[in-house]
């Protein structure tokens, strides 16, 4: 009887140890540790890194790239990725403001048209990848050039006038701001939170999420079980394009500039955020929580290195080092998991 009670007393520590080991083995563990260390180091060097004003300014930039990264997470989980998101980030606001400034449409109608055109571009990407069997790298690289070239052609390379958005309800809904004490909150933050919750739920709690995981993990087996892999990927390409356009429009209203060159290089930074967060580049594993952590890691890195006096041009060095380190960590965790350790 005493031995039984003794064994019962020892069970909770073993159970908690197993829970801790599972937590450490999750793909989000590495990014979480890295983010905490990053904040601690930057704050120790310059306490203003965590000032309310700096956090508010950092979040304003963060959510725009973050919206693209959330959609890219689902697309990469399905085994594909989209290099055209940066060009759509610049093209969509150019289209919207060109229509509005020319008097062809109201700002609100221009907004809807820009998102619809973005969805059609995503549809074209998806069809070329799934029906023509062309790798997504080549398809979206070509689309990047087409979309960016179109934006430059429309504008002759010059930014579009956007200041007429002041006081328009759409602008207020997308980038309006208010204060909580001295902390400035932009409405775009709520759009980001909403997108993260919805897409996180879709990926982890719905049949569609299972289809996405199966499409990236083992497309042949997914097809055999009745999953429409092609249609799933087409929808994800459309989602990626629409959120990239939406993020670009938010940015153009916030900065009062619709520049056809906006978003240049964003596609690689977004992929870096997703990969650092723990989503597998080859597909079959994705995490929205990890992506959110990856977004904050890179955006706080960009902000922090400037505030501690490191030249901003060194940012890419840090990104490269983080990507290599996180890939090594994920590889090590995967090997431990497969070995049953």
């Amino acid at each position: 009887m005493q031995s039984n009670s003794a064994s019962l007393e020892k069970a909770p520590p073993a159970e908690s140890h197993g829970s801790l080991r599972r937590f450490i083995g999750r793909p989000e563990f590495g990014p979480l540790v890295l983010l905490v260390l990053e904040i601690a180091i930057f704050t120790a060097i310059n306490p203003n890194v965590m000032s309310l004003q700096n956090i508010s300014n950092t979040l304003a930039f963060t959510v725009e790239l973050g919206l693209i990264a959330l959609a890219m997470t689902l697309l990469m989980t399905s085994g594909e990725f989209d290099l055209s998101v940066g060009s759509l980030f610049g093209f969509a606001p150019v289209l919207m403001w060109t229509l509005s400034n020319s008097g062809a449409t109201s700002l609100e109608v221009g907004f809807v048209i820009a998102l619809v055109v973005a969805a059609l571009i995503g549809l074209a990407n998806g069809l070329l990848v799934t029906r023509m069997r062309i790798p997504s790298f080549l398809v979206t690289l070509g689309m990047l050039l087409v979309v960016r070239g179109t934006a430059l052609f429309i504008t002759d390379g010059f930014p579009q006038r956007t200041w007429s958005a002041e006081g328009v309800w759409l602008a207020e809904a997308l980038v309006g701001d208010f204060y909580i004490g001295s902390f400035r909150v932009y409405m775009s933050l709520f759009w980001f939170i909403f997108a993260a919750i919805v897409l996180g739920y879709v990926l982890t709690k719905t049949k569609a999420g299972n289809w996405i995981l199966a499409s990236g993990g083992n497309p042949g087996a997914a097809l055999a079980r009745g999953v429409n892999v092609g249609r799933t990927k087409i929808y994800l390409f459309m989602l990626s394009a629409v959120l990239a356009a939406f993020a670009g429009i938010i940015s153009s209203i916030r900065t009062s500039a619709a520049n056809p060159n906006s978003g240049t290089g964003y596609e690689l930074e977004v992929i870096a955020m997703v990969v650092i967060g723990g989503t597998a580049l080859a597909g079959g594993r994705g995490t929205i929580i990890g992506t959110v952590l990856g977004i904050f890691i890179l955006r706080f890195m960009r902000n922090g290195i400037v505030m501690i006096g490191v030249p901003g041009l060194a940012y890419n060095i840090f990104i490269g080092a983080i990507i290599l380190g996180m890939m090594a960590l994920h590889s090590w965790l995967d090997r431990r998991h497969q070995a049953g350790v």
Side-chain angles (χ1 to χ4, degrees), residues 6 21 31 33 55 81 101 116 127 135 146 149 174 178 181 185 188 194 198 228 239 252-253 263 266 281 289 327 339:
R21 199 160 58 181
V33 172
I55 292 174
F81 55 91
N101 291 335
V116 170
L127 289 173
V146 170
L174 295 180
F178 59 91
V185 181
S188 55
F194 175 74
V198 170
N228 194 323
L239 175 67
S252 75
I253 296 174
Y266 279 10
L281 189 60
I289 295 174
M327 291 304 95

Side-chain angles (χ1 to χ4, degrees), residues 190-262:
F190 295 100
W191 288 107
F192 173 74
I193 293 171
F194 175 74
I197 292 173
V198 170
L199 296 184
Y201 179 81
V202 168
L203 186 59
T204 59
K205 303 293 185 182
T206 68
K207 186 185 294 185
N210 292 332
W211 292 348
I212 294 169
L213 291 165
S215 297
N218 192 331
L223 282 169
R225 299 192 62 167
V227 175
N228 194 323
V229 174
R231 186 183 301 171
T232 299
K233 291 185 177 184
I234 288 172
Y235 286 151
L236 293 177
F237 274 110
M238 293 175 69
L239 175 67
S240 175
V242 168
L243 280 189
F246 184 64
I249 289 170
I250 287 176
S251 178
S252 75
I253 296 174
R254 182 181 59 80
T255 60
S256 297
N259 191 327
N261 286 309
S262 290

Side-chain angles (χ1 to χ4, degrees), residues 266-327:
Y266 279 10
E267 54 279 340
L268 298 181
E269 189 167 353
V270 165
I271 291 172
M273 290 173 174
V274 177
V275 170
I276 288 170
T279 295
L281 189 60
R285 184 187 70 203
T287 161
I288 290 293
I289 295 174
T291 293
V292 171
L293 293 172
I295 292 164
F296 287 128
I297 286 170
L298 291 197
R299 298 314 288 178
F300 273 106
M301 175 67 70
R302 182 184 288 275
N303 177 263
I305 61 174
V306 173
M307 293 199 67
I308 65 175
V310 177
L313 294 175
Y315 174 62
N316 287 339
I317 299 174
F318 287 92
I319 288 183
I322 290 172
I323 290 174
L324 293 173
M326 293 306 296
M327 291 304 95

Side-chain angles (χ1 to χ4, degrees), residues 24-329:
I24 293 174
R26 290 182 61 85
E28 297 91 351
F29 175 74
L32 177 61
V33 172
L34 180 58
L35 179 60
V36 172
L37 287 174
E38 178 183 278
I39 293 173
I41 292 170
F42 285 148
T43 304
I45 298 173
N46 184 351
N48 289 329
V49 168
M50 293 305 292
S51 68
L52 291 179
Q53 181 179 0
N54 187 56
I55 292 174
S56 175
N57 291 336
T58 302
L59 286 176
F61 293 97
T62 297
V63 298
E64 292 161 11
L65 270 179
L67 284 167
I68 309 175
L70 293 175
M72 188 73 78
T73 301
L74 270 62
L75 184 60
M76 287 176 58
T77 301
S78 75
E80 308 293 347
F81 55 91
D82 187 353
L83 295 179
S84 67
V85 290
S87 60
L88 277 162
F89 184 93
F91 169 74
V94 162
L95 177 59
M96 182 184 76
W97 284 107
T98 298
L99 292 171
S100 176
N101 291 335
S102 67
T105 69
S106 66
L107 183 64
E108 293 83 356
V109 173
F111 170 74
V112 173
I113 291 174
L115 293 187
V116 170
V117 171
L120 292 175
I121 291 171
L123 175 62
N125 283 337
L127 289 173
L128 288 169
V129 170
T130 59
R131 301 292 171 83
M132 303 295 291
R133 307 294 183 186
I134 305 173
S136 56
F137 172 83
L138 297 176
V139 169
T140 57
L141 177 61
M143 192 62 76
L144 180 158
L145 297 174
V146 170
V147 173
R148 182 73 71 193
T150 303
L152 290 168
F153 178 77
I154 290 173
T155 62
D156 291 327
F158 293 100
Q160 295 292 287
R161 175 172 59 86
T162 66
W163 54 82
S164 58
E166 190 170 340
V168 177
W169 72 265
L170 179 64
E172 291 297 320
L174 295 180
V175 297
D177 59 356
F178 59 91
Y179 284 86
I180 300 177
S182 60
F183 185 70
R184 188 179 188 182
V185 181
Y186 289 91
M187 289 302 296
S188 55
L189 177 62
F190 295 100
W191 288 107
F192 173 74
I193 293 171
F194 175 74
I197 292 173
V198 170
L199 296 184
Y201 179 81
V202 168
L203 186 59
T204 59
K205 303 293 185 182
T206 68
K207 186 185 294 185
N210 292 332
W211 292 348
I212 294 169
L213 291 165
S215 297
N218 192 331
L223 282 169
R225 299 192 62 167
V227 175
N228 194 323
V229 174
R231 186 183 301 171
T232 299
K233 291 185 177 184
I234 288 172
Y235 286 151
L236 293 177
F237 274 110
M238 293 175 69
L239 175 67
S240 175
V242 168
L243 280 189
F246 184 64
I249 289 170
I250 287 176
S251 178
S252 75
I253 296 174
R254 182 181 59 80
T255 60
S256 297
N259 191 327
N261 286 309
S262 290
T264 300
Y266 279 10
E267 54 279 340
L268 298 181
E269 189 167 353
V270 165
I271 291 172
M273 290 173 174
V274 177
V275 170
I276 288 170
T279 295
L281 189 60
R285 184 187 70 203
T287 161
I288 290 293
I289 295 174
T291 293
V292 171
L293 293 172
I295 292 164
F296 287 128
I297 286 170
L298 291 197
R299 298 314 288 178
F300 273 106
M301 175 67 70
R302 182 184 288 275
N303 177 263
I305 61 174
V306 173
M307 293 199 67
I308 65 175
V310 177
L313 294 175
Y315 174 62
N316 287 339
I317 299 174
F318 287 92
I319 288 183
I322 290 172
I323 290 174
L324 293 173
M326 293 306 296
M327 291 304 95
L329 176 62

